[in-house]
Amino acid sequence: MAETAFRKLPSVDRLAADPRIAAQLGELPRERVVDLVRQELAVVRAAVAAGAPVPDPDSLVERVVRRGLGLLVLSLRPVVNATGVIIHTNLGRAPLSRAARAAIDQVARGYSNLEFDLETGERGHRHTHLEHLLCQVTGAEAGFAVNNNASAVLLGLTALAQGREVVVSRGQAVEIGGGFRIPDVLRQSGARLVEVGTTNRTYLRDYEGAMGPETAAILRVHRSNFRLIGFTAEPELGELAELARTRGVWLFDDLGSGCLIDTTRFGLLREPLVQESVAAGADLVFFSADKLLGGPQAGVIVGRREPVERLRRHPLARAVRIDKLCLAGLAATLIHYIKGEALTEVPVWWMISRPAEEVRSRAEAWAGRVAGLAPVEVVPAESAVGGGSLPGETLPSFALAVRPRDGDVVGLARRLRLARPAVVGRVEADRLLLDPRTVLPEDEGALLEVLKGALSG
Ligand SMILES: *Cc1c(COP(=O)(O)O)cnc(C)c1O
């Protein structure tokens, strides 16, 4: 049965010679097209052997063309974020400033002095491009950056606590986002986790009681993605620093979000500041560069000179080192803080600091542009900071609410997602909400074109 079915399939050469394939996949060399045809026919034969009907010739051509085009378009592409979630991990966390993008472009297009001292003409070090900036904005003695914060924490624990004990409050032995679990990271580093206190209350004496000759460090972990409220207690970082110093162990602080600006200025709860952890006496502070710092993906390590140097020299540091493009973007982002222009130049801070009234007038302008195409209104909404910071906290905002004429709000949301650029909003009951707070002004025109197209098409 399958034998006769197979005979109905064209040969590789015959299918590859179809002019429609040549027309659509003209950018691909002939050998690649033949490979694609072979791969597609193998899939079809397996399906036919399993009992599927033999596809007609047109659909075979179409399948080969789809396979080929799938190799020519970039799967990773820009999205206009109208969700109102500022640091959206699934949408790539922080958008970069103009200066950060320019710095990346400059380094990307040619050679650079990444590890070359232009003064002496000898070998230099990549970390020299960042350290003075990190020290300036955080007040730390020393610092450098690695691939991401997960690797920063892993490096710290591996370099300074491998084979020994690390004391962690039970309320902080947590899971942060996709698969970063403190107990697992500790195990991976070769350190032994010693949990102290209870889920809701841990006192200084709990730490004291758990420390002994095997203790290498105390690790504090910021509760980035959940809140502990009610009957709770934990020591101040300064108290832990004092205890660590008298017992001769390290104090590590995994801050996560890497906030350098007081969030209470914008009506939000207080997100702990990097500068405060440094001032309180943490030996090492770890944080992400692409959360509230607003830079490219990286993990930053700042603190006292000696432990920072030991991390930098550890073999694992080579395995998790920062690449030159992120290094360039991070340095340019830090310069915004040094110049005191982060609120206007770093996109995440620009978004956080927009007054609700300004967001409302942008939503109203959007409403005016699409009013004839569907029932729209401007409604109060809540934006979130997101990305492992200020869990449950929202900023008062406004959104454009669109009710498609055919009532198919899920279909409208899908058309927007599949448009170029993709536009992602929030479906709430029978309407689609688009929050201008997270839309960069330069993307507004494209968003409105996509929306008009989706409502009229
Ligand atoms: C986000 C976060 C991490 C992981 O950081 P990445 O940069 O995503 O690797 C680790 N610890 C805490 C407390 C975090 O909030």
Side-chain angles (χ1 to χ4, degrees), residues 286-302:
F286 307 101
F287 53 96
S288 297
D290 54 352
K291 292 181 178 173
L292 278 175
L293 189 74
Q297 178 187 309
V300 180
I301 300 160
V302 295

Side-chain angles (χ1 to χ4, degrees), residues 299-445:
V300 180
I301 300 160
V302 295
R304 293 192 204 283
R305 165 105 9 231
E306 192 213 328
V308 167
E309 285 301 335
R310 285 177 58 179
L311 264 58
R312 204 155 27 198
R313 287 195 306 266
H314 191 276
L316 186 58
R318 174 63 180 77
V320 297
R321 79 177 180 189
I322 187 171
D323 82 287
K324 63 179 180 178
L325 303 183
C326 290
L327 179 54
L330 177 52
T333 305
L334 291 170
I335 290 173
H336 292 309
Y337 288 90
I338 287 168
K339 289 162 83 177
E341 60 184 25
L343 292 187
T344 51
E345 298 303 316
V346 176
V348 299
W349 283 101
W350 180 83
M351 291 171 183
I352 290 171
S353 60
R354 291 305 90 202
E357 280 314 309
E358 184 182 312
V359 181
R360 188 215 293 258
S361 42
R362 291 174 68 200
E364 277 164 357
W366 293 5
R369 300 278 297 277
V370 295
L373 299 168
V376 292
E377 59 182 322
V378 172
V379 299
E382 292 186 333
S383 315
V385 177
S389 50
L390 300 163
E393 277 285 279
T394 55
L395 287 159
S397 197
F398 287 90
L400 178 69
V402 185
R403 281 173 219 272
R405 289 224 165 97
D406 62 3
D408 181 10
V409 67
V410 171
L412 174 64
R414 184 180 145 81
R415 284 201 296 287
L416 293 181
R417 285 198 309 273
L418 296 180
R420 303 293 169 104
V423 173
V424 179
R426 219 162 64 214
V427 172
E428 214 176 82
D430 58 348
R431 52 192 196 175
L432 180 72
L433 298 186
L434 300 171
D435 185 339
R437 185 183 292 279
T438 48
V439 177
L440 297 165
E442 68 233 50
D443 290 338
E444 279 194 4

Side-chain angles (χ1 to χ4, degrees), residues 93 148-151 153 176 180 182 221-225 254-257 287-291 297-299 387-388:
R93 290 199 181 156
N148 62 359
N149 190 35
S151 54
V153 175
I176 317 271
F180 182 83
I182 291 298
V221 183
H222 178 47
R223 285 190 271 278
S224 299
N225 55 357
D254 176 11
L255 271 183
S257 66
F287 53 96
S288 297
D290 54 352
K291 292 181 178 173
Q297 178 187 309

Side-chain angles (χ1 to χ4, degrees), residues 159-188:
L160 300 180
Q162 193 164 55
R164 299 180 64 204
E165 290 174 357
V166 174
V167 181
V168 181
S169 161
R170 216 162 240 123
Q172 295 170 14
V174 297
E175 173 174 319
I176 317 271
F180 182 83
R181 304 181 113 193
I182 291 298
D184 294 345
V185 175
L186 267 148
R187 198 170 310 118
Q188 186 61 41

